[in-house]
Every structure is written in C-alpha cells, then in structure tokens.
Amino acid sequence: MIRLDLNENPYPPPRSVLEEAEKGLREVNRYCEQACLDELKRSIEEYTGIPWRSIKLSPGSDTILREIIHSFSIDRKVIMLNPSFLPTLECAKRHSRKMVKFHITPPEFILKREILQEEAREPSLVIIDNPNNPTGREFLDKDLVVDLLDNKNTLLVIDEAYYEFSGNTFSNLVNEYGNLAVTRTLDKAFSLAGLRVGYLLAGEKFMEGLSDFNVILPRPSVYAAIAALKNMQYVMENARRIRSERKRLIRELNKLGIEAYKSSTNFILVKSEFPGLGDKLRVKGIAVRDLSRDWIPGYYRISVGLPEENNILLETLKEILADESNN
Amino acid sequence: MKLGLIVNPIAGMGGSVGLKGTDGDAYRKALELGATPVSPVRIRQVLSLVKRRDINFLVAPGKMGEDYIRGTGFIYEVVGSIGEQTTADDTKKIAREMVDRGVDLLIFVGGDGTARDIADAVDLKIPVLAIPSGVKMFSSVFVVSPYAAARIMDSFTADMPLVEREVMDIDEEAFRQNKLAARLYSYLKVPGIEPLLQASKEASNTSKSEEAQKREIAEYIVENMEDGYVYLLGPGTTLKAIAGKIGVEKTLLGIDAVYNGKLVGKDLNEKGILELIDTYGRARIIVTPIGGNGFIFGRASKQFTPEVLRRVGKENTIVVGTKGKILKLKHLRVDTGDEEVDRMLSGPIKVVIGYNEELLMEVRA
Ligand SMILES: Cc1ncc(COP(=O)(O)O)c(C=O)c1O
C-alpha cells in the first residue's frame, strides 16, 4: 500500500538519527533524564530562536493541542476554521464550553477577517492551523495575528505543523505577546512520525496555565530529535524535494482534469466529481484521505510521496479515469 | 431483492430543443420540435451496467418500464396498466401498487416532476433510486450518473444507510422565462452513498450518520431552549427531529409553534404566527436552509413573512442543518421580498451543525 493519506514524510531520517534512536532503545528501562529533555529544549531554542523557558515538549503536537483545549476552554469559547486538523476540532467540540467554527469553502477559501475579529471580541481561544489542513493554505498574516493578539481576552494558538514546508512563522511574536502559542512538530519535515516529537513555543499566559504539563518523552524520541535538529541540511533538502514534487503533482493532476489546489504543505487538496475515487485508489493499493465524511464530498487530500510513488498515483488515476469513460 | 422500476418516457425531452421541462402543453411543443426521448437511453444504460442477478423486478408496463427490461435476462413482472399517453396519475398509481407489493427499492427515471409524483405516492415509506433524465433537477434526490445508479443497485441491501433528500417544485412557466421559483415540495429517502448522489444542485447530506446528526442537533437545540419564548419551527426533517426531541408532532412542510415544551400552533400561516407573537411576547424562529441553494427565508417557508421576521429579529433566528447540507454551501441566502428585512438578516450568522458545534457563516441577500 502506498500511504498518501497521513501527510507523512516519505523520506526516512538519516543514519545519524536512526543510530541515536537505537542508542536510546538500549536504555529504555530508564526514564529519560531531565538533563536530556533540557538538552532537546536547548536544541529547539537554537533552531527557533525562542528561549528554552518558553518551550514545552509534547509527544506529538496533537497532544499539547488537546491539553491547551482542556486547560483554556472552560471559561471561554473556542474559535477554529472549518475545515481544520480533525482531532483538534473533535477535541474542542467535546470539551470546550462553546465551539464556533469559521466556514471556509472552495474554490476561493475566503476568511473574512472582520467577521473573525468580531467573533473574537468575547473571551476566546482561537486555534488556527497555518498552513491549514486539509486545504494546504495559509490564512494568517501579520496584521490579522497582531490584531487578534491586541485583544487581551484572546488566546491565540497557531498550529505550525507544516512550517518547514511553508517557511512562514509567527513564533517571533511569542516573546512579545503572552497570549500567543505556536505548536510545531518533528513528525513531518523531520521524518519522525513514528517517534512522536512535538513542541510548543508560548508566551507566559500559556506557560502559566500549562505549568503542570511536563511530559517525559520516550528516550529514543529525545535522542533522535536532538540528532535530527543537528542535521538541518538533510531536513531542508527533503522539504525542498517535496515542494518540487508538489509542484509537479499539482500540474499533472490538473492535466488529468482533477482540480488540484495550491499548497504550502507536503499535501495537496484535490477535487474530483468521479464517484468513489478514494475507494478505487485504495483497491489499487494507494491510500488517500477522502474528505466526504468530514467535509465536502468529492474532495480528497493527497500527501506528496516519493517521485516514484507519485508516478504510480498519476498512472493509476489515468487508468481509473479511462475505465470510467469506456463505461 | 425486489426492485420496482418506473420510467417517465417523456422526461428530459424539452432540454434538447431548448424548452425547460415537458409539463403540460410544452410536451407537444417538444415533439413538434423533433425532441427525442432521453429516459429510454438512460435506463437501458443503467441496466446494462448492473452486475448482480438476484433481482426480481416489478416494472411498469410498456414504455414506462417493461420495454427496457425485456431481453435483458432479468426476472420481472409487470405491474398496472397504461394507455397511449402516459400521465402523472399512472406514475402515482403504479408506485403505490409497488409499495403495497413490498419492493425494497423503487427505481425511477425522470426529472423533478416525476420525483414529485413518486413523493406523492411513496412518501418516506420505502427508499428510492432516482435516475435523472429531466431538464430541471433542482431536487437533490438524483444520482450523478447511470454508472452510480448501477453501483447502488449492485450494493443495495435492506440495511443500507438512507438519507432524506429534498424534492423541489419549480414553477415551469416561471422557469421558462428564466425566473427561478423553487419551493420545497416534499422528501424522499435515498441510499446514502454521497459521492454517487448529484452534488451540483445538491441538498441534504452525506454519510450514514445523517439521522444521528439530526438527533445531535436536536439535543443541543432543545437543551438550550429557554422558557418564555415561543419557538416557531420551520419545515424540514431536521426541524422534525427537534420536534421529536421536544416530544411534539411536526408538520413536515409547515410551521409549528412550541411554548415551554408544549405545542401551541400547527401548520401556521402569517396571521397565526403574528397572533402567537402577540400572545407570548417573545419569539424565536428555528429554520434549516434548502440544500444546494442555501435559502433560509423567501423560498421554502413563505409563512415567515417580512413582518414576522421584523418582529422576531435576526438575534432570535436560529439556523440549523446537518454538515452534509451546510458545509457545501458557500453562504446562506434570503429573498424575503422586502429589502430592509433582507438587509437586516444579512451578514454573519451562526448555524448549529452538531452538539456544541456552531458554524459561522454569512447570509447574503
Ligand atoms: C495541522 C496539523 N496539526 C497537527 C498535526 C499533528 O502532528 P503530530 O501530532 O504528529 O505532531 C497534524 C498531523 O497531521 C496536522 O496536520
């Protein structure tokens, strides 16, 4: 099965990282020491420029996003975009006092900022994935972010899981605004999905509220993460290859008559009226994310794979579409 | 598996000659213009794509069914009788008989008019499979293609998830003059395989949890209802679910009123609504948009007149809808016939789409 459904990195981590993970594995009867966790924070500090006291580690960024919802939505409503990363949406729906989702639709994908700002006038926890999953778009710009942050009743969380693919970040505002938090992950661009390493860069309001969220990450994860952050060239080269494949894939999909939207991530949102396209691909050994159940029928999210995987995808799509027109 | 089949042999003939529909006299005009029938081609194609053989067909006579199944190898039995010119009554009569004879799924080929006839006869008693061949298909019951129809027939089982979809009534005369006057007519139950249902002129929902979604919405709405308000419930099955949760009966296509958990008005007109507002002082409206076009006022429920809407106000208007219906809409629409009221209703509004799940959307006039 070619897995293009979970936005994973198709490239494995480099040898140095795998060796560190193995080293960690040999000591797994022991918890990872605090010193080691601190070293990872120092590495993140070096990478992001955010002081390590403003950093929290998390087993995958999804975990800390949940923790934020649990800690901060008791007395305030949650505002998110629809669509967004599904586990966060589901968590907010179940656990927040009140949940409001901002409706975004293709093909224009317009976020009317006045409406969002108006809605955020009451005390709110605003959570926005930027770039957004599954549309692949960036909805935030500095004016909007600063405007939201200037309202001290607002807590803003920006989920930057795909930062290394988009190149745009708001993390530099964390020092200035106590009501801003940015979540990141090494599961995507750093190829560590199987080790689950996420982190939070946050202002003091968030750090206070999360003061007892101190998770000891698995030793192999911590070792591997430290090694991965030492080899940024490898990460950035993979990100570059994925971006270039993304461009090719969008072009080729459009040629097949499948509408593929622009993206700032390692996945592409596509639209096809072809009935049951997701199932058809699955039968032929390719998994993509069918968004009919959770969003709009006819929309799919396809991760950018290795060039050869992308070729198989394109060939398979061609076959399926040809079958249909013969019928 | 017992499947019924009814074909409207003249549906779709107006399109090729530039007429919009074949209701009434337009049919004769279409023939004069040299229109050829669309339905026979459609149904033959569907039948040739169906793979399963464990089907017993009950078919309408002659050009309403039998002609297309003969020679295909399917086992079939003819139901009812027809004359030279087929009529809406033929469709209704035969559909009713098929329901009585226990078909599991009723397949029909036609357009909006045929869908209305089928809805009159079948209601929500059994699921239908609607194959489009008409010119106007504003109803959201239709499947996307003959191919999709065959897929549904191949995979149909008695416990397949079903969704309720809207049957629309378009005034053909107005439509021919390029005016769109659509009105919610009724509902039919169709197999809920979303990508196989027509998405272009769509309506209400997607996945198997359609009914569960309505219950979820109902639960949230009812938990948040306040005493001291008269709640005016608009048409539709989502509102029916809300009424069900309150424990009162709902007029499917009309407006009913509830006060402190009790039914205080049934199938109300404007006058009845205004009287209730006078009596109880404070009122809220709960409505669901029409699938596909997103109208909340001015199309489906004319009883919510500009005067009623002015008295209730936007702040007391609650919009609800399942995700399958709502998420596809770009925005909601109003066309009350009163510019000032349209303006009052325009702008952002929150739509309840699940338990503790509200979607911020825009209303446009
Ligand atoms: C927008 C977004 N945020 C967060 C995550 C979670 O990533 P992880 O928990 O692996 O760090 C994902 C994963 O797909 C995502 O798409």
Coordinates of all heavy atoms in Angstrom, one line a residue, chain A residues 1-47:
Chain A
M1 N 0.8 -1.2 0.0 CA 0.0 0.0 0.0 C 0.9 1.3 0.0 O 1.8 1.4 0.8 CB -0.9 0.0 1.3 CG -1.9 1.1 1.4 SD -3.2 1.0 0.1 CE -4.6 0.3 1.0
I2 N 0.6 2.2 -0.9 CA 1.3 3.4 -0.9 C 0.5 4.4 0.0 O -0.7 4.7 -0.3 CB 1.4 4.0 -2.4 CG1 2.3 3.0 -3.2 CG2 2.1 5.4 -2.3 CD1 2.4 3.5 -4.7
R3 N 1.1 4.9 1.0 CA 0.4 5.7 2.0 C 0.5 7.2 1.7 O 1.5 7.8 2.0 CB 0.9 5.4 3.4 CG 0.8 4.0 3.9 CD -0.6 3.5 4.0 NE -1.4 4.3 4.8 CZ -1.7 4.0 6.1 NH1 -1.3 2.9 6.6 NH2 -2.5 4.7 6.8
L4 N -0.5 7.7 1.1 CA -0.5 9.1 0.9 C -1.7 9.8 1.6 O -2.3 10.8 1.2 CB -0.7 9.4 -0.7 CG 0.4 8.7 -1.6 CD1 0.1 9.0 -3.0 CD2 1.8 9.2 -1.2
D5 N -2.0 9.2 2.8 CA -3.2 9.7 3.5 C -2.9 10.3 4.8 O -3.9 10.9 5.4 CB -4.2 8.5 3.7 CG -3.6 7.4 4.4 OD1 -2.3 7.3 4.5 OD2 -4.3 6.6 5.0
L6 N -1.7 10.3 5.3 CA -1.5 10.9 6.6 C -0.4 12.0 6.6 O 0.0 12.4 7.7 CB -1.0 9.7 7.5 CG -2.1 8.7 7.9 CD1 -1.5 7.5 8.6 CD2 -3.2 9.4 8.7
N7 N -0.1 12.5 5.5 CA 0.8 13.6 5.4 C 2.2 13.3 6.1 O 2.8 14.2 6.7 CB 0.2 14.9 6.1 CG -1.0 15.3 5.4 OD1 -1.3 14.8 4.3 ND2 -1.8 16.1 6.0
E8 N 2.6 12.1 6.0 CA 3.9 11.7 6.5 C 5.0 12.1 5.5 O 4.7 12.4 4.4 CB 4.0 10.2 6.7 CG 3.0 9.8 7.8 CD 2.5 8.3 7.6 OE1 2.5 7.9 6.4 OE2 2.1 7.7 8.6
N9 N 6.2 12.1 6.0 CA 7.4 12.4 5.2 C 7.8 11.0 4.5 O 8.0 10.0 5.2 CB 8.5 12.9 6.0 CG 9.6 13.6 5.2 OD1 9.9 13.1 4.1 ND2 10.0 14.7 5.7
P10 N 7.9 11.0 3.2 CA 8.2 9.7 2.5 C 9.7 9.3 2.7 O 10.0 8.2 2.5 CB 7.9 10.0 1.1 CG 8.1 11.5 0.9 CD 7.7 12.1 2.2
Y11 N 10.5 10.3 3.1 CA 11.9 10.0 3.3 C 12.2 9.6 4.7 O 11.7 10.3 5.6 CB 12.8 11.3 2.9 CG 12.6 11.7 1.5 CD1 11.8 12.7 1.1 CD2 13.2 11.0 0.5 CE1 11.6 13.1 -0.2 CE2 13.1 11.3 -0.9 CZ 12.2 12.4 -1.2 OH 12.0 12.8 -2.5
P12 N 13.0 8.6 4.9 CA 13.3 8.2 6.3 C 14.4 9.2 6.9 O 15.0 9.9 6.1 CB 14.0 6.8 6.1 CG 14.5 6.8 4.7 CD 13.6 7.7 3.9
P13 N 14.5 9.2 8.2 CA 15.5 10.1 8.8 C 16.9 9.6 8.4 O 17.1 8.4 8.0 CB 15.3 10.0 10.3 CG 14.4 8.9 10.5 CD 13.7 8.4 9.2
P14 N 17.9 10.4 8.5 CA 19.3 10.0 8.2 C 19.9 9.0 9.2 O 19.3 8.9 10.3 CB 20.1 11.3 8.2 CG 19.3 12.2 9.1 CD 17.9 11.8 9.0
R15 N 20.9 8.3 8.8 CA 21.6 7.3 9.6 C 21.9 7.8 11.0 O 21.6 7.1 12.0 CB 22.9 6.9 9.0 CG 22.8 5.8 7.9 CD 22.9 4.4 8.6 NE 24.1 4.2 9.3 CZ 25.3 3.8 8.8 NH1 25.4 3.6 7.5 NH2 26.3 3.6 9.5
S16 N 22.4 9.0 11.1 CA 22.8 9.6 12.4 C 21.6 9.6 13.4 O 21.7 9.3 14.6 CB 23.4 11.0 12.3 OG 22.4 11.8 11.7
V17 N 20.5 9.9 12.9 CA 19.3 10.0 13.7 C 18.8 8.6 14.1 O 18.5 8.3 15.3 CB 18.1 10.7 12.9 CG1 16.8 10.7 13.7 CG2 18.5 12.2 12.7
L18 N 18.8 7.7 13.2 CA 18.4 6.3 13.5 C 19.4 5.7 14.5 O 18.9 5.0 15.4 CB 18.4 5.4 12.2 CG 17.3 5.8 11.2 CD1 17.5 5.0 9.9 CD2 15.9 5.7 11.8
E19 N 20.6 6.0 14.4 CA 21.6 5.4 15.4 C 21.3 6.0 16.8 O 21.4 5.2 17.8 CB 23.0 5.8 14.9 CG 23.6 4.8 13.9 CD 24.8 5.3 13.2 OE1 25.4 6.3 13.7 OE2 25.1 4.7 12.1
E20 N 21.0 7.2 16.9 CA 20.7 7.8 18.2 C 19.4 7.2 18.8 O 19.3 6.9 20.0 CB 20.5 9.3 18.1 CG 21.8 10.1 18.0 CD 22.7 9.9 19.2 OE1 22.2 10.2 20.3 OE2 23.8 9.5 19.0
A21 N 18.4 6.9 17.9 CA 17.2 6.3 18.4 C 17.5 4.9 18.9 O 17.0 4.5 20.0 CB 16.2 6.2 17.2
E22 N 18.4 4.2 18.2 CA 18.8 2.8 18.7 C 19.5 2.9 20.0 O 19.3 2.1 20.9 CB 19.7 2.2 17.6 CG 19.0 1.5 16.5 CD 19.9 1.1 15.4 OE1 21.1 0.8 15.6 OE2 19.4 1.1 14.2
K23 N 20.3 3.9 20.1 CA 21.1 4.1 21.4 C 20.1 4.3 22.5 O 20.2 3.7 23.6 CB 22.0 5.3 21.3 CG 23.2 5.3 22.2 CD 24.2 6.3 21.8 CE 24.1 7.5 22.8 NZ 24.8 8.7 22.3
G24 N 19.1 5.1 22.3 CA 18.0 5.3 23.3 C 17.3 4.0 23.6 O 16.9 3.8 24.7
L25 N 17.1 3.2 22.6 CA 16.4 2.0 22.8 C 17.1 1.0 23.7 O 16.4 0.3 24.5 CB 16.2 1.3 21.4 CG 15.1 0.3 21.2 CD1 13.7 1.0 21.5 CD2 15.1 -0.1 19.7
R26 N 18.4 1.1 23.7 CA 19.2 0.2 24.6 C 19.1 0.5 26.1 O 19.4 -0.2 26.9 CB 20.7 0.2 24.1 CG 20.9 -0.6 22.8 CD 22.3 -0.9 22.6 NE 23.1 0.2 22.2 CZ 23.3 0.7 21.0 NH1 22.7 0.0 20.0 NH2 24.0 1.7 20.7
E27 N 18.5 1.8 26.3 CA 18.4 2.2 27.7 C 16.9 2.4 28.1 O 16.6 3.1 29.0 CB 19.2 3.5 28.0 CG 20.6 3.4 27.6 CD 21.2 4.8 27.6 OE1 21.1 5.6 28.5 OE2 21.8 5.2 26.5
V28 N 16.1 1.7 27.4 CA 14.6 2.0 27.7 C 14.1 1.6 29.0 O 12.9 1.9 29.3 CB 13.7 1.5 26.6 CG1 13.7 2.4 25.4 CG2 13.9 0.1 26.2
N29 N 14.8 0.8 29.8 CA 14.4 0.5 31.1 C 14.4 1.7 32.0 O 13.8 1.8 33.1 CB 15.1 -0.7 31.7 CG 16.6 -0.4 31.8 OD1 17.2 0.2 30.8 ND2 17.3 -0.8 32.9
R30 N 15.1 2.8 31.6 CA 15.2 4.0 32.4 C 14.4 5.2 31.7 O 14.4 5.3 30.5 CB 16.7 4.5 32.4 CG 17.6 3.5 33.0 CD 17.4 3.4 34.5 NE 18.2 2.3 35.1 CZ 18.1 1.8 36.3 NH1 17.1 2.3 37.1 NH2 18.9 0.9 36.8
Y31 N 13.7 6.0 32.6 CA 13.1 7.2 32.0 C 14.2 8.1 31.5 O 15.3 8.1 32.0 CB 12.4 8.0 33.1 CG 11.2 7.3 33.7 CD1 11.2 6.8 35.0 CD2 10.0 7.1 32.9 CE1 10.0 6.2 35.5 CE2 8.9 6.5 33.4 CZ 8.9 6.0 34.7 OH 7.8 5.4 35.2
C32 N 13.8 8.9 30.5 CA 14.8 9.9 30.0 C 15.0 10.9 31.1 O 14.1 11.4 31.7 CB 14.1 10.5 28.8 SG 15.3 11.6 27.9
E33 N 16.3 11.2 31.3 CA 16.6 12.2 32.4 C 16.2 13.6 32.0 O 16.2 14.0 30.8 CB 18.2 12.2 32.6 CG 18.8 11.0 33.1 CD 19.0 10.0 32.0 OE1 18.9 10.3 30.8 OE2 19.3 8.8 32.4
Q34 N 16.0 14.4 33.1 CA 15.6 15.8 32.8 C 16.7 16.5 32.0 O 16.4 17.3 31.1 CB 15.3 16.5 34.2 CG 14.8 17.9 34.0 CD 13.4 17.9 33.3 OE1 12.6 17.1 33.5 NE2 13.2 18.9 32.4
A35 N 17.9 16.2 32.3 CA 19.0 16.9 31.6 C 18.9 16.7 30.1 O 19.2 17.6 29.3 CB 20.3 16.4 32.1
C36 N 18.5 15.5 29.8 CA 18.4 15.2 28.4 C 17.2 15.9 27.7 O 17.3 16.4 26.6 CB 18.1 13.7 28.3 SG 19.0 12.9 27.0
L37 N 16.1 16.0 28.5 CA 14.9 16.7 28.0 C 15.3 18.2 27.8 O 14.9 18.8 26.8 CB 13.8 16.6 28.9 CG 13.2 15.2 29.1 CD1 12.3 15.1 30.3 CD2 12.5 14.7 27.8
D38 N 16.1 18.7 28.8 CA 16.5 20.1 28.7 C 17.4 20.3 27.5 O 17.4 21.4 26.8 CB 17.3 20.5 29.9 CG 16.3 20.7 31.1 OD1 15.1 20.8 30.8 OD2 16.7 20.8 32.3
E39 N 18.3 19.3 27.2 CA 19.1 19.4 26.0 C 18.3 19.6 24.7 O 18.6 20.4 23.8 CB 20.1 18.2 25.9 CG 21.2 18.5 24.9 CD 22.0 17.2 24.6 OE1 22.1 16.4 25.5 OE2 22.6 17.1 23.5
L40 N 17.2 18.8 24.7 CA 16.4 18.9 23.5 C 15.7 20.3 23.4 O 15.7 20.9 22.3 CB 15.2 17.8 23.5 CG 14.2 17.9 22.4 CD1 14.8 17.9 21.0 CD2 13.2 16.7 22.6
K41 N 15.3 20.8 24.6 CA 14.8 22.2 24.5 C 15.8 23.2 24.1 O 15.5 24.1 23.3 CB 14.3 22.6 25.9 CG 13.0 21.9 26.3 CD 12.5 22.6 27.6 CE 11.3 21.8 28.2 NZ 10.9 22.3 29.5
R42 N 17.1 23.0 24.5 CA 18.2 23.9 24.0 C 18.3 23.8 22.5 O 18.6 24.8 21.8 CB 19.5 23.5 24.7 CG 19.5 23.7 26.2 CD 19.8 25.1 26.6 NE 20.0 25.2 28.0 CZ 20.0 26.4 28.7 NH1 19.8 27.5 28.0 NH2 20.1 26.4 30.0
S43 N 18.2 22.6 22.0 CA 18.3 22.4 20.6 C 17.2 23.1 19.8 O 17.4 23.7 18.8 CB 18.3 20.9 20.2 OG 19.3 20.2 20.9
I44 N 16.0 23.0 20.4 CA 14.9 23.7 19.8 C 15.0 25.2 19.9 O 14.7 26.0 19.0 CB 13.5 23.3 20.5 CG1 13.3 21.8 20.2 CG2 12.4 24.1 20.0 CD1 12.2 21.1 21.0
E45 N 15.6 25.7 21.1 CA 15.9 27.1 21.2 C 16.8 27.6 20.1 O 16.6 28.6 19.5 CB 16.5 27.3 22.6 CG 17.1 28.8 22.7 CD 17.7 29.1 24.1 OE1 17.2 28.6 25.1 OE2 18.8 29.7 24.1
E46 N 17.8 26.8 19.8 CA 18.8 27.1 18.8 C 18.1 27.2 17.4 O 18.3 28.1 16.6 CB 19.9 26.1 18.8 CG 21.2 26.7 18.1 CD 22.3 25.7 18.3 OE1 22.5 25.2 19.4 OE2 23.0 25.4 17.3
Y47 N 17.2 26.2 17.2 CA 16.5 26.2 15.9 C 15.5 27.3 15.7 O 15.4 27.9 14.7 CB 15.9 24.8 15.8 CG 14.9 24.6 14.6 CD1 15.4 25.0 13.3 CD2 13.7 24.1 14.8 CE1 14.5 24.8 12.2 CE2 12.8 23.9 13.7 CZ 13.2 24.3 12.4 OH 12.4 24.1 11.3

